Amino acid sequence: MYDVLIVGGGPVGACAAALLARGTGGPGLSVALLEPKPPAPLAAGAALEARVVAVSRASERTLISAGAWPGILGPRLCAYERMRIWHESVSPTSAAALVFDAADVGEPNLGYIVENRLLQTALLEAFTRSGGHIEPAQLLRLRIGEAAVEVETTHGTFSARLIIGADGAQSAVREAAGLAAQVGTYGQTAIVATVATARSHEMTAWQRFMKAGTLAFLPLADGTSSIVWSADEELAPGLMAASDADFALELDRASDLALGATRLVSPRQSLPLRRLRAPRYVARRVALIGDAAHVVHPLAGQGVNLGLLDAAALADLVLAASAGGEDPGALGVLRRYERWRKSEVALMSAAIDGFDRFLAHGTGPLARLAQQGLSWVNNAPELRRLFIRRALGMSGELPRAAR
Ligand SMILES: Cc1cc2nc3c(=O)[nH]c(=O)nc-3n(C[C@H](O)[C@H](O)[C@H](O)COP(=O)(O)OP(=O)(O)OC[C@H]3O[C@@H](n4cnc5c(N)ncnc54)[C@H](O)[C@@H]3O)c2cc1C
């Protein structure tokens, strides 16, 4: 019988597990984690992987609180100092391109580009170092009782006072607990790859909004860049089928040669993009975090960042409830988590969908207004600083681990 059982050891589940097992400012809880596919650690000197995420300052602080930062910090990590965002109707270097610079808010950088696998393994290691138990099992069934939840898995049966569903967009916990999900499509496929570029990335994340999607170049530590090309569904199959040389030519056209000519240095991966929103994040003794509760478009690089803050917020409330002698699985405790995070996530999802609808795909007066907005924000230092603080994740009510 555990205090908490977490289903899913992706970055979000592993972070919740490490925070709960360590305790923030008090003793930790007894925590087990189910992860059927734990990642193999990266060999020292291995080539950088194409699947990366941009983590914000709030996420960096959460990862420090979880004890995972020393495992991430090192030569594979790349800090990015600015973002350059432009619409296809203007050139990347024109005054109409929006530039967010960390120096504008007195920060050394806007965040870091981290490989997914490095993030996940560092968090899982931090969890086991804090005395947590990882079971390489898959959830089969849940039975929610008065005092505990019984969890049937491929490796036996466990029980816990609280189950956290961190098992991604296809969450089995969400379904077993009878929690609904509203799923929609963006009509786009993300193509991810690592590319070498003729010009330096200048520690900058570059993003171009186009009628047929968005294209981002995220800077990597070895001077290459990871691209995320969210291409309309009609365009994506052709881009995936093209030879490496033809794909690079298409990429040069789509990037307007912002970083000069490109060359592929990894295979391409394609991921269909969906949006997902669970109207309820909690039920008695069950809470959903990360992609199990919400999936957003990758254009703003916020999926993991939102999920890590879910993990930190839930850990705050559950640890406080436990320290006060309350049942950590009580619906009252979990509803506080839902109220806190649902409103923050709704705000961010609406902004992201607005960018996709008006900046990337839009036509007509509203789209023109949004495109014009990029240069207005660029010319309004106070407004620009406000957006930078949002991008750093340092706005809204922050959980203790992220402060
Ligand atoms: C192209 C692309 C680029 C992105 N870029 C960024 C970015 O720059 N910044 C950012 O913040 N976010 C980004 N994201 C979003 C980010 O990748 C996701 O939000 C993040 O991976 C969600 O983490 P998670 O731990 O909630 O879920 P997942 O990563 O999906 O992990 C779920 C885990 O649960 C396990 N699991 C599944 N089913 C079961 C079961 N039945 N029993 C037990 N375990 C189970 C799985 O094995 C998996 O390990 C991007 C997404 C895409 C597609």
Side-chain angles (χ1 to χ4, degrees):
M1 171 75 148
Y2 290 94
D3 290 325
V4 184
L5 188 129
I6 297 169
V7 182
V12 174
C15 182
L19 290 171
L20 287 165
R22 278 166 78 90
T24 41
L29 303 178
S30 68
V31 184
L33 177 83
L34 301 187
E35 175 50 60
K37 295 181 232 151
L42 281 157
L48 291 170
E49 300 211 324
R51 290 299 312 273
V52 299
V53 285
V55 295
S56 67
R57 181 75 70 253
S59 291
E60 175 191 348
R61 292 192 182 156
T62 303
L63 295 167
I64 292 171
S65 302
W69 197 243
I72 294 170
L73 204 57
R76 308 183 73 89
L77 190 66
C78 186
Y80 68 103
E81 294 169 5
R82 65 198 76 69
M83 288 161 76
R84 183 172 280 274
I85 302 161
W86 75 103
H87 186 260
E88 64 180 330
S89 56
V90 300
S91 103
T93 48
S94 85
L98 173 60
V99 181
F100 289 142
D101 199 315
D104 289 345
V105 289
E107 291 280 337
N109 57 55
L110 293 177
Y112 297 87
I113 309 298
V114 189
E115 293 158 284
N116 286 25
R117 182 136 66 114
L118 182 62
L119 177 64
Q120 191 185 5
T121 45
L123 280 161
L124 289 170
E125 277 165 25
F127 172 56
T128 44
R129 266 200 316 277
S130 305
H133 170 68
I134 301 178
E135 192 66 38
Q138 196 171 342
L139 171 85
L140 296 175
R141 269 172 289 278
L142 284 185
R143 208 158 39 76
I144 304 172
E146 264 311 305
V149 185
E150 207 176 85
V151 180
E152 208 181 302
T153 81
T154 45
H155 286 47
T157 303
F158 299 82
S159 50
R161 294 199 290 163
L162 169 64
I163 301 297
I164 298 179
D167 47 348
Q170 318 284 341
S171 173
V173 174
R174 193 179 61 222
E175 203 175 313
L179 293 166
Q182 296 164 349
V183 185
T185 171
Y186 286 105
Q188 293 168 40
T189 298
I191 300 176
V192 178
T194 310
V195 297
T197 54
R199 280 203 289 279
S200 158
H201 54 49
E202 298 169 355
M203 316 296 267
T204 301
W206 304 71
Q207 177 137 300
R208 189 181 197 215
F209 284 99
M210 303 170 286
K211 281 209 184 63
T214 54
L215 173 62
F217 284 72
L218 304 175
L220 299 182
D222 63 358
T224 61
S225 298
S226 168
I227 60 149
V228 181
W229 189 345
S230 305
D232 280 1
E233 262 161 11
E234 305 82 67
L235 197 65
L239 290 172
M240 285 305 290
S243 68
D244 283 4
D246 287 346
F247 178 81
L249 284 175
E250 289 297 331
L251 187 58
D252 292 351
R253 252 193 292 276
S255 65
D256 202 10
L257 290 172
L259 292 169
T262 56
R263 180 173 51 83
L264 270 173
V265 294
S266 81
R268 282 158 271 172
Q269 297 174 38
S270 74
L271 307 132
L273 296 180
R274 309 229 181 292
R275 67 163 74 78
L276 182 149
R277 177 182 158 269
R280 309 246 35 168
Y281 290 6
V282 302
R284 193 162 51 106
R285 302 204 174 280
V286 178
L288 303 177
I289 58 175
D291 277 18
H294 44 76
V295 179
V296 295
H297 194 291
L299 69 85
Q302 287 299 330
V304 165
N305 291 309
L306 288 172
L308 295 179
L309 285 179
D310 291 347
L314 184 60
D316 257 16
L317 296 168
V318 165
L319 287 165
S322 237
E326 249 184 291
D327 178 349
L331 196 53
V333 175
L334 303 181
R335 285 234 165 101
R336 265 175 261 156
Y337 156 72
E338 182 182 78
R339 274 198 298 276
W340 182 354
R341 290 305 299 158
K342 243 181 91 171
S343 52
E344 303 266 342
V345 171
L347 208 66
M348 184 57 85
S349 319
I352 292 172
D353 284 356
F355 286 137
D356 179 56
R357 202 152 147 223
F358 297 115
L359 273 172
H361 290 92
T363 51
L366 267 180
R368 276 196 295 280
L369 197 69
Q371 288 150 24
Q372 184 68 45
L374 290 181
S375 59
W376 288 336
V377 175
N378 214 22
N379 293 318
E382 213 25 70
L383 195 58
R384 214 171 58 233
R385 280 193 279 274
L386 189 95
F387 276 102
I388 297 175
R389 277 191 282 274
R390 271 250 153 227
L392 286 165
M394 301 312 286
S395 53
E397 189 188 350
L398 285 177
R400 202 187 330 193
R403 279 181 219 147

